[in-house]
C-alpha cells in the first residue's frame, strides 16, 4: 500500500467514524433522551437528522445504522493497518488478510450502493434527509475510489476478495473462528430484532399497527362501524379537547360492542384561525390537526391519524409528520393535502356544518334523536343511551 493511499484510507474512515459517532448521539437523543435539544443538523422539515432518526428506516435488524457505521469505519481502519499488525508476533494469524485494499474497495462499494438506496428512501419515502448521513454516503464512495487498485477491474477486485475468503475458511482454525463470529452475530441480531431494545420506533410502529389492525374491517373515511348501521352517532370534536379524547375512547368501545352502531366524526376546531365563531385565540393548533385528519382521510387512514393526534398530542406540523412516518402514510401527499386550499375549505365547511346544527362546544354527540353535550358521563351511562336509542349489543358480548 502506497503512503498516499494509506493516508487517504486513514483520514476518510476517521471522518466517517466521527460522523457515525455523532449520528449515534443524534439517534440516542431522538429516541431515548427525554427533553433533548434538537441536534445541529435538525434544520427544517426537509433537512432533519432527528426526524430521520425517529423513523423505522434508521435501523437494520434492530441495530441503529449509526452503529453499523461505526463498525464499518473501524473495519476500514483495521484493514488499512492490518499489514503492520501482522508483524506483531502474537498477531501473525492476521496474514490471512492478503489483499486488504481489495477488501476495503469491495466493502466500500457495497456500502455506497446501500447508501444510495437509503438516500432514495430519505428523499422519496421519508421526505426528509439527514445531512450527516449523506456525508457518510459520499465518504463511502471516496473510500472505495481511494482503495481501488489502478489498472485492476472492479470484477477482479471482487474475485480477489471472494477467493481469499474461500482460501481462508479452508483452514480449520479460521473456519471455526469465522463460524463462532457468525453465530455470535446472528444471536445478537436475532435478539435486537425481536426485542427492539435499540429501536423504539419499530416497537412503536408495531404497537400502532396492532392497534389499528381492526380498523381495516369497518373504517371508511371519517366513519367507524358497519356502513348500513341502523343507529348513527354523529360526534363533533376538537383534537385538543380533553373531553373529546375520552369520547373517542368511549365511542371506539361502543362500536366494538354493538353490531348496528356507526360513528361519524366531524371536526370542529375551536381555534380562531379557522373558526369564525371564536372570540379568542382558542385551542392552539386545532385547525392544523383538523387539516391533517382530513388529509389522512384522503388516504383512508383518518382513524389512524385521529388516534395519533389524540394519544401523542403533537403540537406542531413537524411533530405530526414524525408520528405519521411510523405508519404507512405517503408523507409527501399528506403534507401537500393538509396544506391545500381544498382541505382548508373543508375545515371551514365543517365549522359551518356545526353552525347549522347549533353546535358550539366539543364534544357534542347526536345519538339517534338525542343530543348530548360532553362525553356522556361514564361509559355505562353512554352505553345506556345507545341502548335506549336502538343499539343492539353483539351476541355473547361480555
Amino acid at each position: 500500500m502506497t503512503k498516499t493511499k494509506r493516508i487517504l484510507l486513514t483520514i476518510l474512515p476517521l471522518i466517517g467514524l466521527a460522523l457515525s459517532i455523532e449520528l449515534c448521539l443524534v439517534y440516542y437523543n431522538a429516541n431515548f433522551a427525554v427533553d433533548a435539544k434538537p441536534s445541529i443538523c435538525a434544520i427544517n422539515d426537509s433537512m432533519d437528522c432527528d426526524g430521520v432518526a425517529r423513523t423505522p428506516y434508521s435501523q437494520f435488524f434492530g441495530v441503529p445504522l449509526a452503529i453499523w457505521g461505526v463498525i464499518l469505519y473501524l473495519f476500514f481502519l483495521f484493514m488499512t493497518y492490518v499489514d503492520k499488525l501482522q508483524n506483531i508476533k502474537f498477531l501473525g494469524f492476521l496474514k490471512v488478510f492478503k489483499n486488504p485494499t481489495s477488501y476495503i474497495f469491495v466493502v466500500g462499494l457495497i456500502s455506497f450502493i446501500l447508501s444510495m438506496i437509503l438516500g432514495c428512501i430519505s428523499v422519496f419515502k421519508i421526505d426528509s434527509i439527514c445531512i450527516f448521513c449523506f456525508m457518510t454516503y459520499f465518504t463511502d464512495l471516496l473510500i472505495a475510489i481511494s482503495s481501488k487498485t489502478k489498472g485492476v477491474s472492479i470484477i477482479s477486485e471482487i474475485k480477489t476478495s471472494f477467493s481469499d475468503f474461500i482460501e481462508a475458511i479452508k483452514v480449520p482454525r479460521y473456519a471455526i473462528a469465522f463460524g463462532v463470529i457468525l453465530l455470535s452475530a446472528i444471536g445478537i441480531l436475532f435478539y435486537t430484532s425481536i426485542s427492539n431494545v435499540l429501536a423504539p420506533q419499530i416497537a412503536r410502529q408495531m404497537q400502532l399497527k396492532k392497534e389499528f389492525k381492526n380498523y381495516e374491517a369497518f373504517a371508511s373515511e371519517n366513519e367507524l362501524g358497519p356502513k348500513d348501521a341502523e343507529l348513527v352517532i354523529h360526534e363533533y370534536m376538537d383534537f385538543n379537547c380533553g373531553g373529546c379524547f375520552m369520547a373517542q375512547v368511549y365511542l371506539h368501545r361502543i362500536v366494538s360492542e354493538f353490531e348496528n352502531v356507526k360513528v361519524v366524526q366531524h371536526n370542529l376546531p375551536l381555534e380562531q384561525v379557522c373558526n369564525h365563531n371564536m372570540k379568542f385565540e382558542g385551542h392552539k393548533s386545532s385547525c392544523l390537526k383538523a387539516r391533517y385528519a382530513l388529509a389522512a382521510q384522503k388516504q383512508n387512514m383518518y382513524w389512524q391519524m385521529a388516534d395519533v393526534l389524540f394519544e401523542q398530542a403533537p403540537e406542531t406540523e413537524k411533530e405530526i409528520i414524525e408520528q405519521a412516518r411510523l405508519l404507512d402514510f405517503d408523507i409527501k401527499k399528506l403534507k401537500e393535502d393538509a396544506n391545500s386550499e381544498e382541505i382548508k375549505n373543508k375545515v371551514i365547511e365543517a365549522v359551518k356544518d356545526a353552525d347549522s346544527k347549533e353546535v358550539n362546544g366539543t364534544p357534542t354527540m347526536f345519538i339517534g334523536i338525542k343530543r348530548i353535550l360532553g362525553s356522556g358521563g361514564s361509559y355505562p351511562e353512554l352505553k345506556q343511551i345507545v341502548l335506549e336509542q336502538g343499539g343492539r349489543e353483539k351476541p355473547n358480548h361480555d
Side-chain angles (χ1 to χ4, degrees):
M1 185 183 300
T2 65
K3 184 177 180 180
T4 301
K5 180 174 287 190
R6 195 184 299 275
I7 291 173
L8 284 173
L9 293 180
T10 299
I11 295 175
L12 290 173
L14 284 175
I15 291 173
L17 183 62
L19 288 168
S20 295
I21 291 173
E22 176 61 26
L23 286 169
C24 284
L25 295 174
V26 169
Y27 183 91
Y28 175 80
N29 287 331
N31 292 285
F32 293 97
V34 179
D35 298 327
K37 294 181 179 179
S39 64
I40 59 173
C41 59
I43 300 171
N44 52 42
D45 289 347
S46 298
M47 293 181 284
D48 183 8
C49 294
D50 296 355
V52 173
R54 293 189 183 99
T55 70
Y57 301 103
S58 64
Q59 60 80 43
F60 183 65
F61 281 110
V63 177
L65 293 176
I67 292 180
W68 286 108
V70 170
I71 296 171
L72 174 69
Y73 295 116
L74 287 176
F75 168 80
F76 288 146
L77 286 170
F78 175 74
M79 284 298 156
T80 299
Y81 289 93
V82 71
D83 58 334
K84 302 290 185 182
L85 295 172
Q86 292 169 359
N87 296 325
I88 300 175
K89 187 174 181 181
F90 66 91
L91 295 179
F93 65 91
L94 294 179
K95 291 180 180 179
V96 69
F97 299 111
K98 300 175 182 178
N99 298 283
T101 55
S102 292
Y103 314 152
I104 294 174
F105 170 75
V106 172
V107 174
L109 183 62
I110 293 172
S111 299
F112 177 69
I113 293 171
L114 293 176
S115 296
M116 289 300 95
I117 294 173
L118 291 172
C120 290
I121 290 174
S122 285
V123 174
F124 300 109
K125 180 68 175 179
I126 302 176
D127 198 30
S128 185
I129 66 171
C130 167
I131 296 176
F132 285 169
C133 297
F134 272 78
M135 290 173 68
T136 63
Y137 301 163
F138 288 103
T139 299
D140 294 345
L141 176 61
L142 291 174
I143 288 173
I145 293 172
S146 300
S147 59
K148 176 75 169 58
T149 302
K150 189 176 181 180
V152 178
S153 69
I154 294 176
I155 299 299
S156 295
E157 294 276 30
I158 295 172
K159 284 183 176 179
T160 297
S161 299
F162 182 74
S163 61
D164 282 0
F165 171 74
I166 297 300
E167 286 297 318
I169 61 174
K170 286 180 180 179
V171 179
R173 67 176 184 273
Y174 293 143
I176 293 172
F178 175 74
V180 170
I181 293 173
L182 181 62
L183 289 175
S184 298
I186 291 173
I188 292 172
L189 294 179
F190 178 78
Y191 171 71
T192 54
S193 297
I194 296 299
S195 67
N196 292 312
V197 64
L198 298 177
Q201 66 283 79
I202 295 296
R204 175 61 180 156
Q205 182 187 57
M206 292 172 65
Q207 177 188 344
L208 289 173
K209 287 187 175 180
K210 183 179 179 181
E211 291 172 359
F212 299 150
K213 187 176 181 180
N214 292 332
Y215 288 173
E216 297 174 4
F218 52 86
S220 175
E221 297 189 338
N222 63 328
E223 299 181 0
L224 193 64
K227 282 188 173 294
D228 57 351
E230 299 166 16
L231 179 62
V232 179
I233 300 175
H234 290 274
E235 180 204 11
Y236 291 82
M237 45 65 66
D238 179 326
F239 286 111
N240 281 344
C241 158
C244 297
F245 189 4
M246 185 57 66
Q248 170 102 339
V249 175
Y250 285 175
L251 292 174
H252 275 60
R253 186 172 173 184
I254 288 290
V255 171
S256 68
E257 294 182 4
F258 285 78
E259 64 181 6
N260 67 329
V261 178
K262 175 172 70 175
V263 172
V264 180
Q265 195 170 78
H266 304 272
N267 284 277
L268 178 55
L270 301 179
E271 184 183 14
Q272 203 172 48
V273 173
C274 62
N275 189 331
H276 64 278
N277 294 319
M278 299 298 295
K279 306 303 180 185
F280 53 93
E281 184 177 344
H283 294 167
K284 186 178 180 181
S285 78
S286 289
C287 296
L288 173 69
K289 293 179 181 181
R291 296 203 322 264
Y292 266 92
L294 293 174
Q297 184 174 322
K298 291 174 75 69
Q299 298 186 38
N300 200 29
M301 296 178 70
Y302 174 89
W303 291 99
Q304 289 91 325
M305 178 60 74
D307 274 11
V308 164
L309 294 174
F310 272 129
E311 294 181 12
Q312 303 304 313
E315 297 180 359
T316 65
E317 185 172 33
K318 179 179 177 181
E319 290 174 355
I320 293 173
I321 291 299
E322 287 180 358
Q323 291 298 321
R325 284 185 180 128
L326 295 175
L327 299 169
D328 294 324
F329 281 102
D330 181 330
I331 298 299
K332 185 176 181 180
K333 176 175 171 54
L334 183 69
K335 290 172 70 175
E336 289 177 352
D337 287 339
N339 292 287
S340 68
E341 290 302 315
E342 176 193 356
I343 293 297
K344 291 177 182 178
N345 289 333
K346 280 190 175 183
V347 174
I348 294 173
E349 289 169 9
V351 172
K352 290 180 179 179
D353 173 60
D355 283 348
S356 69
K357 306 293 191 306
E358 297 183 351
V359 176
N360 50 28
T362 59
T364 296
M365 289 184 280
F366 294 90
I367 304 178
I369 62 172
K370 192 173 182 65
R371 177 185 180 125
I372 298 173
L373 299 177
S375 58
S378 65
Y379 179 72
E381 290 174 318
L382 178 63
K383 184 175 180 178
Q384 184 59 39
I385 294 171
V386 173
L387 287 168
E388 291 171 357
Q389 294 299 313
R392 289 196 310 273
E393 288 190 86
K394 293 178 180 178
N396 304 318
H397 178 78
D398 295 328

